[in-house]
Amino acid sequence: MNNKYINVVNIITLSRVALTLLGVLLIFSGNIKLLIIAYIIMSLSEVSDIIDGYVARRDKLVTDLGKILDPLSDSISRFFYFFALAYNGLFPIWFMIFFFFRDIIVAYIRIFASFSGTVMSARLSGKIKGGVQFAGVYLLMYSLMINTIQNGAKLSPAFLYSAAIIGIGINILVVLYFRIKGGLLTTILVLMAVLGGMLVSLNFINFTVNYLTTFTISFIVIGVTLYSLVDYLFSLDPTIKKRYNVLTGISLIVMMFIISPYFLDLVKNKFESGAEDISWESYNFPDIEKTDGLKIRGVITCGEKLVVAASKVHDISRLYIFSGLGSTDCEFSVDMPEPITNIKDIEQIGDFIYLIDDNLNTVIQLDMNELLNNRQVKITKEFYTGFTSSATLCAVTFNSMNYLVINDYIYSGNLHFCLIDGLSQSSDLIVQTNFKMKSEFYIKNLYSSGGYIYILANKIGKDLIYQVALERAVFAGNIQSGIVKIVKAPETDLIGISLLDDRLVSYGNRSKKIFVEYKK
């Protein structure tokens, strides 16, 4: 098969489009096993991208059609993969505009060049763009798989190892079939080892990838993509000096950052740079994650006692009760009954403790006195949230009435207030929402006391604690209008927030310490 239009190389190139469509559909599913299969399909697409040019040159199958199809297939493949990842919330979906228009403009540049009898092959900037997009799409896909697993998706080590072996095996068979040799073979084998190692490492990772990280990855990718566009445009006039390409590309990247949500967020909340530094006391705390294999999900104070909620996803959830902040010995612990195995947050109001389970998407009401006095778990009520993601939980008193408050999105959404008295177990909490407030924060934890809501939020990669006047925020309809004080957290990656004798209390996930606001 060797004619002007159809040969084995062009078929390899076109197969990349078919593989992409399949991979994208699997990413949209959100199922962790299908995500891993999509990851393997992505690796096969990349190997086909590497070998098609090599085979074309080796077997003298280079065609004008192939010179156009190769970058076109790359563009289609990367565009749809990035779109699927943006759809999953890893970066702003409007970034896709730059992908789309870059490739449309470059396509027209190629057509324009063809009128003069010139076939424009891929430029160096295009190849750099391809390499950066390759790294970016895999890092974002890796982040999506990490977060999916950490948010409760069940995955066995056997499946991971099998998927890694099968994925590497399929790619090696493709390499052998097309007789790839030399440095290119080494490159592919190293690539497969890295991608396989990333897949296997999912079994050992115990953290989530925050939005700032995925935003930064996507921003770098878009920046290089914009520079590639400028380089192609300036290539139409060889008299233009190279430095103008660079200056124009940098200007576009700066402009993109200025209109990005993070820049607007910095401008709109510029007063946060003056967040207060306060003094903190720290107390050593048992490393529950190391000793029991459970990850701490929330910390509250009940009187003088400290209650810690911890979980091992799909295995067990446990409550640890300590006699006080300075105590390093657990007074006692109780296991939650199955299927409550993924507690995401814990709150207390009145005589009840409330837990939210991310697997069940359910709020569980416990009898606090039964827990603290009789050391037993007594579930009195359960409420299905009705939200796509359970996120964070809070219990507040407003106008002498108690409300459950649920943040329905992990990143920026509404706070739904549900009046506890009269809540029905037969109806979703989202249906029983009495009112809601808009929030622009990535809210990690909430706590309410004395007419205020205390919000532990992550802003531009750092943890801050906001004290919000509840009444003012409710009547304005948004959290920002009620902010009265902003405090710098003692460290990044805090978990849980509470008050004890009007002092802020939180747990440092990195230092494994309990932090308490110091007041003279």
Side-chain angles (χ1 to χ4, degrees):
M1 191 185 303
N2 185 8
N3 59 50
K4 187 176 180 180
Y5 299 106
I6 303 222
N7 58 39
V8 67
V9 175
N10 291 345
I11 290 174
I12 294 172
T13 303
L14 290 172
S15 70
R16 194 152 64 247
V17 177
L19 287 171
T20 296
L21 295 177
L22 177 59
V24 166
L25 288 175
L26 297 179
I27 293 174
F28 278 132
S29 73
N31 181 283
I32 184 58
K33 291 184 178 179
L34 296 183
L35 287 176
I36 288 173
I37 294 172
Y39 182 86
I40 294 171
I41 291 173
M42 285 170 60
S43 71
L44 190 58
S45 297
E46 295 301 334
V47 168
S48 72
D49 184 28
I50 293 171
I51 69 173
D52 58 1
Y54 173 84
V55 173
R57 291 186 295 272
R58 184 193 65 191
D59 298 345
K60 298 181 180 179
L61 297 175
V62 177
T63 64
D64 288 346
L65 178 63
K67 291 179 181 179
I68 295 173
L69 282 180
D70 184 43
L72 180 61
S73 296
D74 289 347
S75 297
I76 292 173
S77 176
R78 298 274 164 73
F79 177 84
F80 281 105
Y81 277 130
F82 276 109
F83 179 80
L85 293 167
Y87 179 82
N88 278 277
L90 295 181
F91 61 92
I93 202 163
W94 63 269
F95 272 18
M96 299 308 302
I97 294 172
F98 296 104
F99 280 103
F100 181 76
F101 281 104
R102 184 269 177 196
D103 291 327
I104 290 293
I105 292 171
V106 169
Y108 273 102
I109 291 174
R110 293 179 186 279
I111 293 171
F112 177 79
S114 68
F115 288 155
S116 61
T118 303
V119 176
M120 183 179 285
S121 299
R123 293 177 61 80
L124 176 61
S125 64
K127 294 182 181 296
I128 294 173
K129 182 252 333 176
V132 172
Q133 287 185 354
F134 163 78
V137 78
Y138 270 97
L139 288 173
L140 290 171
M141 185 66 179
Y142 188 56
S143 301
L144 178 60
M145 292 190 294
I146 288 174
N147 290 348
T148 302
I149 292 172
Q150 294 303 314
N151 287 328
K154 192 171 184 179
L155 187 66
S156 67
F159 182 87
L160 267 179
Y161 292 127
S162 300
I165 292 170
I166 291 171
I168 293 172
I170 291 173
N171 282 292
I172 289 176
L173 287 175
V174 170
V175 168
L176 292 175
Y177 179 81
F178 288 102
R179 309 186 312 280
I180 307 300
K181 299 178 181 178
L184 187 61
L185 174 60
T186 303
T187 300
I188 293 174
L189 291 177
V190 170
L191 179 63
M192 288 303 102
V194 172
L195 296 181
M198 290 171 66
L199 201 57
V200 171
S201 70
L202 292 173
N203 191 46
F204 306 99
I205 289 175
N206 194 25
F207 60 84
T208 56
V209 182
N210 62 34
Y211 185 78
L212 177 61
T213 301
T214 57
F215 175 88
T216 303
I217 293 170
S218 63
F219 186 84
I220 292 171
V221 171
I222 294 296
V224 175
T225 300
L226 284 175
Y227 173 73
S228 173
L229 169 61
V230 171
D231 186 54
Y232 270 93
L233 285 171
F234 280 39
S235 69
L236 295 174
D237 186 355
T239 62
I240 298 177
K241 294 183 179 180
K242 188 74 174 177
R243 65 172 177 269
Y244 295 124
N245 296 25
V246 176
L247 289 173
T248 306
I250 291 174
S251 299
L252 283 173
I253 294 168
V254 171
M255 181 190 71
M256 187 188 75
F257 178 70
I258 289 175
I259 65 174
S260 72
Y262 266 100
F263 183 82
L264 294 177
D265 192 40
L266 281 169
V267 172
K268 185 165 57 177
N269 299 294
K270 60 183 178 180
F271 60 87
E272 291 178 3
S273 61
E276 292 184 29
D277 274 314
I278 64 172
S279 299
W280 295 87
E281 296 177 305
S282 63
Y283 297 90
N284 292 325
F285 197 74
D287 192 345
I288 293 173
E289 189 172 336
K290 184 177 181 180
T291 56
D292 296 352
L294 304 182
K295 187 177 181 65
I296 292 178
R297 298 294 187 179
V299 177
I300 61 169
T301 54
C302 295
E304 293 298 320
K305 295 186 183 296
L306 191 71
V307 181
V308 177
S311 291
K312 183 177 182 181
V313 178
H314 298 300
D315 188 0
I316 190 173
S317 285
R318 182 175 295 159
L319 300 179
Y320 295 84
I321 288 77
F322 294 83
S323 58
L325 292 175
S327 174
T328 57
D329 295 324
C330 177
E331 188 175 321
F332 68 93
S333 65
V334 291
D335 292 345
M336 296 298 296
E338 292 185 0
I340 303 170
T341 58
N342 190 20
I343 294 176
K344 196 165 186 181
D345 203 358
I346 181 171
E347 267 294 343
Q348 178 267 328
I349 191 167
D351 294 328
F352 298 101
I353 291 175
Y354 294 90
L355 309 170
I356 191 163
D357 186 284
D358 200 33
N359 283 350
L360 305 176
N361 245 0
T362 299
V363 175
I364 299 104
Q365 179 180 284
L366 306 181
D367 186 311
M368 182 180 68
N369 294 320
E370 191 72 16
L371 173 66
L372 299 182
N373 297 330
N374 299 328
R375 303 187 177 188
Q376 293 182 355
V377 171
K378 181 181 179 181
I379 297 175
T380 54
K381 290 182 181 179
E382 295 183 46
F383 308 100
Y384 185 72
T385 67
F387 300 118
T388 54
S389 178
S390 298
T392 48
L393 176 70
C394 185
V396 306
T397 299
F398 178 65
N399 283 347
S400 302
M401 292 182 286
N402 294 335
Y403 292 85
L404 279 179
V405 182
I406 301 178
N407 177 31
D408 61 340
Y409 295 108
I410 294 176
Y411 177 76
S412 183
N414 291 313
L415 297 182
H416 292 256
F417 287 69
C418 306
L419 186 62
I420 293 177
D421 290 340
L423 274 181
S424 172
Q425 298 183 74
S426 60
S427 183
D428 296 347
L429 290 178
I430 192 171
V431 177
Q432 302 182 74
T433 298
N434 296 93
F435 60 91
K436 57 187 178 182
M437 284 193 299
K438 183 68 178 175
S439 169
E440 297 180 4
F441 298 124
Y442 166 32
I443 295 177
K444 299 175 66 175
N445 291 103
L446 297 159
Y447 182 78
S448 179
S449 178
Y452 295 99
I453 289 182
Y454 297 86
I455 298 175
L456 175 60
N458 187 274
K459 298 286 284 185
I460 321 297
K462 62 180 180 181
D463 282 357
L464 295 171
I465 298 171
Y466 295 79
Q467 183 180 357
V468 178
L470 182 57
E471 184 174 6
R472 190 194 307 175
V474 168
F475 287 113
N478 64 82
I479 289 292
Q480 279 70 15
S481 297
I483 296 174
V484 296
K485 185 178 180 181
I486 306 171
V487 173
K488 292 181 181 179
E491 70 172 53
T492 299
D493 205 14
L494 291 182
I495 294 176
I497 185 170
S498 187
L499 285 182
L500 179 63
D501 298 330
D502 290 326
R503 296 183 298 161
L504 292 168
V505 179
S506 189
Y507 171 72
N509 191 43
R510 294 186 180 180
S511 62
K512 312 301 180 188
K513 293 178 180 289
I514 290 289
F515 289 97
V516 182
E517 180 184 2
Y518 174 74
K519 289 186 177 181
K520 293 181 180 179

